[in-house]
């Protein structure tokens, strides 16, 4: 069975921002990982916003996605009925839209692994009350 891992915005930003302090670690992880990465459009939007210091870097990121480096899970409008309660539950963290969509995908597709720089995923639990395994911390 193929390994499937969710990807948060932090590692994607670090991968394309050579000045990011996590760049080398994330680059090494992406080179060694055997499996499929999955993210959401909310994460893609967040990443392109954070890479707005250079349009060419944004375009490199989008071209990399176009090549299929990361599968983009399509969140539907009716999925908000599950996403909104998650965001409400974690207002003290807070859980943003990008993070909530990743937790939604984890639940829907039974994905157990994520790569994230943020410690927020040490707190969030799926709808089945399970934690995600952050492979960057492993």
């Amino acid at each position: 069975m193929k390994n499937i891992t969710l990807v948060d915005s932090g590692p994607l930003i670090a991968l394309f921002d050579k000045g990011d302090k996590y760049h080398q670690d994330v680059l090494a992880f992406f080179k060694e990982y055997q499996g499929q990465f999955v993210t959401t459009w909310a994460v893609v939007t967040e990443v392109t916003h954070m890479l707005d210091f250079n349009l060419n870097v944004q375009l490199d990121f989008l071209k990399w996605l176009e090549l299929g480096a990361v599968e983009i899970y399509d969140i539907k409008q009716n999925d908000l009925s599950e996403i909104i309660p998650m965001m409400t539950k974690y207002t003290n963290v807070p859980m943003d839209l990008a993070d909530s969509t990743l937790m939604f995908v984890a639940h829907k597709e039974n994905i157990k692994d994520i790569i994230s720089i943020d410690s927020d995923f040490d707190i969030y639990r799926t709808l089945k009350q399970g934690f995600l395994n952050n492979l960057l911390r492993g």
Side-chain angles (χ1 to χ4, degrees):
M1 185 172 165
K2 191 175 194 178
N3 293 331
I4 300 175
T5 298
L6 294 168
V7 184
D8 191 20
S9 56
L12 295 172
I13 294 164
L15 185 63
F16 282 86
D17 180 357
K18 293 178 182 171
D20 190 288
K21 69 180 182 177
Y22 297 104
H23 175 74
Q24 289 301 322
D25 292 338
V26 170
L27 181 62
F29 181 88
F30 272 86
K31 284 181 177 180
E32 293 175 17
Y33 180 82
Q34 299 292 314
Q36 176 66 45
F37 292 113
V38 176
T39 199
T40 65
W41 280 110
V43 171
V44 171
T45 301
E46 192 170 87
V47 172
T48 55
H49 173 71
M50 296 304 292
L51 296 176
D52 70 353
F53 61 88
N54 187 314
L55 180 61
N56 289 323
V57 173
Q58 288 178 323
L59 290 169
D60 288 345
F61 170 63
L62 293 174
K63 289 173 186 175
W64 182 73
L65 291 176
E66 183 181 31
L67 292 173
V70 178
E71 178 184 334
I72 303 171
Y73 190 93
D74 192 21
I75 301 291
K76 305 287 187 204
Q77 186 171 1
N78 63 342
D79 295 332
L80 291 172
S81 65
E82 292 182 50
I83 290 169
I84 291 169
M86 276 192 291
M87 290 177 74
T88 303
K89 178 180 178 180
Y90 291 104
T91 54
N92 61 326
V93 175
M95 177 185 268
D96 65 18
L97 179 62
D99 290 355
S100 64
T101 60
L102 290 172
M103 293 304 292
F104 171 79
V105 174
H107 170 72
K108 282 293 188 194
E109 301 300 324
N110 200 30
I111 298 172
K112 305 286 187 211
D113 295 326
I114 191 166
I115 59 170
S116 179
I117 293 168
D118 300 333
S119 60
D120 295 347
F121 288 95
D122 297 339
I123 298 167
Y124 304 148
R125 288 187 280 169
T126 64
L127 295 173
K128 294 179 182 174
Q129 301 303 311
F131 289 99
L132 296 179
N133 177 35
N134 188 346
L135 299 179
L136 284 182
R137 295 179 188 256

